[in-house]
């Protein structure tokens, strides 16, 4: 398995090169440690400033753990709905929690789902279908109007972006449409379960409380994008600020505090929630002509050339995808 991961990492690195970190971000600081054994697979996180809301990867019922700023569980919101593979969490301004039941390691699901949990704990299931086959998706971003964006996990660093074609139905399914891509280049940040290739795998998403900043993360880094008008798709085409998150065992959770602090977390009992102060303020808004502004950051999306271009040899790409996903899927448990 290690040689497969190494091969994939080498190919991606050859066509993109490592991405330098932005100069401005502060280093992550521990906020608290998640020591409760019930949260051993932290995958999604949101914050309202006073409390944290956390979910586990997978699961056989819906559970949202409400934590204090000391990472101690204050209560558990639960429902008997049995998800397949919950991967991310978002929260809208009305207090509704959205669980992204979109994991699909083996690419075998006919539908994925968003689970809508009201502040009272009632769950509504919204099933979704992709227009182009199955995808493993671990990142959810909700814009300030309540439109969900799903960002796929792609071994070659070009994640696909989908959103519903119309209003969510229950149980659905509602058709998704592909609306863009996000290119993630390799970095030299250490961490994650799969070596260097983990730096291009999108494992979580988040938006700020006012919807003007959005973020994606990989196993090793966070990318912060300006969304001054709340347009997530436009934001993901801008040059982001890269924030290294080194040393996380299996980093999948990311969130913003209302003050713009970026929070990140990893699977594993006893792993810390870490904070990067002032992260949202680092995002660079577009210039007055509407074009992406220049930034000291590198390695993001759009036409700025910071991502992974198409591989020069299609045969290499096919081989890396096949071998990489075969090995990578063996690392993860099948859930649901």
């Amino acid at each position: 398995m290690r040689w497969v991961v190494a091969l994939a990492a080498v190919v991606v690195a050859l066509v993109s090169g490592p991405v330098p970190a932005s100069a401005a971000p502060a280093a992550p600081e521990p906020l608290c440690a998640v020591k409760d054994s019930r949260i051993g697979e932290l995958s999604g996180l949101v914050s309202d400033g006073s409390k944290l809301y956390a979910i586990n990867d997978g699961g056989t019922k819906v559970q949202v753990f409400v934590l204090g700023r000391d990472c101690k569980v204050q209560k558990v919101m639960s429902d008997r709905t049995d998800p397949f593979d919950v991967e991310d969490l978002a929260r809208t301004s009305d207090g509704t929690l959205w669980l992204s039941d979109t994991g699909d390691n083996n690419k075998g699901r006919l539908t994925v789902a968003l689970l809508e949990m009201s502040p009272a704990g009632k769950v509504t299931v919204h099933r979704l279908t992709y227009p182009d086959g199955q995808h493993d998706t671990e990142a959810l971003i909700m814009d300030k109007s309540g439109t969900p964006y799903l960002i796929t996990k792609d071994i070659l660093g070009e994640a696909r972006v989908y959103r519903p074609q119309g209003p969510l139905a229950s149980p659905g399914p509602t058709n998704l449409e592909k609306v863009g891509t996000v290119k993630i280049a390799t970095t030299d940040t250490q961490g994650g379960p799969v070596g260097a290739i983990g730096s291009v795998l999108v494992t979580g998403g988040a938006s700020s409380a006012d919807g003007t900043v959005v973020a994606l993360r990989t196993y090793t880094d966070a990318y912060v994008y300006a969304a001054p008008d709340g347009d997530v798709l436009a934001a993901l085409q801008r040059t982001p600020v890269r924030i290294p998150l080194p040393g996380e065992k299996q980093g999948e959770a990311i969130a913003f505090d209302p003050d713009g602090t970026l929070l990140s977390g990893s699977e594993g009992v006893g792993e810390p929630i870490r904070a990067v102060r002032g992260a949202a303020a680092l995002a660079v808004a577009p210039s007055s002509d509407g074009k992406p502004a220049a930034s000291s950051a590198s390695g993001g999306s759009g036409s700025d050339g910071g991502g992974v271009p198409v591989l020069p040899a299609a045969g290499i790409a096919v081989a890396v995808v096949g071998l990489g996903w075969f090995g990578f899927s063996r690392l993860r448990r099948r859930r649901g």
Side-chain angles (χ1 to χ4, degrees):
M1 174 54 203
R2 290 180 179 176
W3 71 268
V4 173
V5 172
L7 173 62
V10 167
V11 173
V12 175
L14 284 174
V15 297
S16 64
V19 178
S22 304
E29 301 175 354
L31 176 69
C32 56
V34 182
K35 298 179 180 179
D36 195 305
S37 61
R38 292 173 293 176
I39 317 176
E41 298 183 30
L42 177 65
S43 184
L45 188 71
V46 294
S47 168
D48 66 8
S50 62
K51 296 182 294 295
L52 306 175
Y53 302 82
I55 57 166
N56 277 317
D57 211 335
T60 57
K61 64 179 179 179
V62 173
Q63 285 188 309
V64 177
F65 297 88
V66 183
L67 314 177
R69 302 292 290 189
D70 57 1
C71 283
K72 292 182 179 179
V73 176
Q74 297 180 347
K75 69 175 182 178
V76 182
M77 303 171 68
S78 63
D79 184 89
R80 290 182 294 177
T81 300
D82 183 3
F84 186 91
D85 188 1
V86 174
E87 291 287 355
D88 207 358
L89 182 65
R91 184 175 183 268
T92 46
S93 59
D94 62 357
T96 300
L97 295 166
W98 293 85
L99 290 76
S100 184
D101 181 11
T102 54
D104 192 11
N105 293 326
N106 296 324
K107 308 291 182 64
R109 299 181 65 173
L110 297 179
T111 64
V112 294
L114 292 177
L115 309 178
E116 178 186 2
M117 176 179 274
S118 72
K122 180 182 177 181
V123 171
T124 303
V125 178
H126 303 280
R127 299 203 177 278
L128 306 165
T129 57
Y130 291 105
D132 52 2
Q134 290 78 20
H135 300 282
D136 186 25
T137 298
E138 296 192 7
L140 167 66
I141 294 177
M142 298 288 289
D143 73 10
K144 61 183 181 181
S145 72
T147 300
Y149 288 79
L150 300 177
I151 300 91
T152 64
K153 186 178 187 180
D154 192 288
I155 197 169
L156 292 181
E158 186 167 27
R160 304 182 186 195
V161 182
Y162 296 87
R163 70 184 174 199
Q165 286 186 335
L168 294 175
S170 178
T174 300
N175 293 328
L176 294 166
E177 59 179 344
K178 181 184 174 184
V179 292
T181 60
V182 181
K183 295 180 180 180
I184 306 292
T186 55
T187 75
D188 57 3
T189 307
Q190 298 300 305
V194 291
I197 197 65
S199 68
V200 304
L201 300 175
V202 176
T203 62
S207 61
S208 62
D210 62 3
T212 62
V213 178
V214 299
L216 295 175
R217 72 158 299 160
T218 66
Y219 284 122
T220 59
D221 300 88
Y223 295 88
V224 180
Y225 303 81
D229 54 0
D231 188 332
V232 170
L233 184 59
L236 294 177
Q237 303 310 307
R238 298 187 178 114
T239 301
V241 171
R242 180 170 74 88
I243 300 176
L245 303 171
E248 294 193 356
K249 181 179 179 181
Q250 187 162 329
E252 299 187 10
I254 191 170
F256 283 106
D257 273 334
D259 68 358
T261 296
L262 185 75
L263 304 176
S264 71
S266 170
E267 290 194 9
V269 176
E271 292 295 308
I273 301 294
R274 300 192 298 173
V276 180
R277 312 291 176 184
L282 299 174
V284 179
S287 59
S288 59
D289 61 5
K291 297 180 180 180
S295 170
S296 61
S298 301
S301 56
S303 59
D304 63 342
V308 180
V310 177
L311 291 179
I316 294 177
V318 171
V320 170
V321 170
L323 291 172
W325 277 121
F326 171 78
F328 182 70
S329 65
R330 294 175 66 90
L331 281 176
R332 303 295 306 273
R333 304 159 300 284
R334 182 197 179 280
R335 301 167 173 92

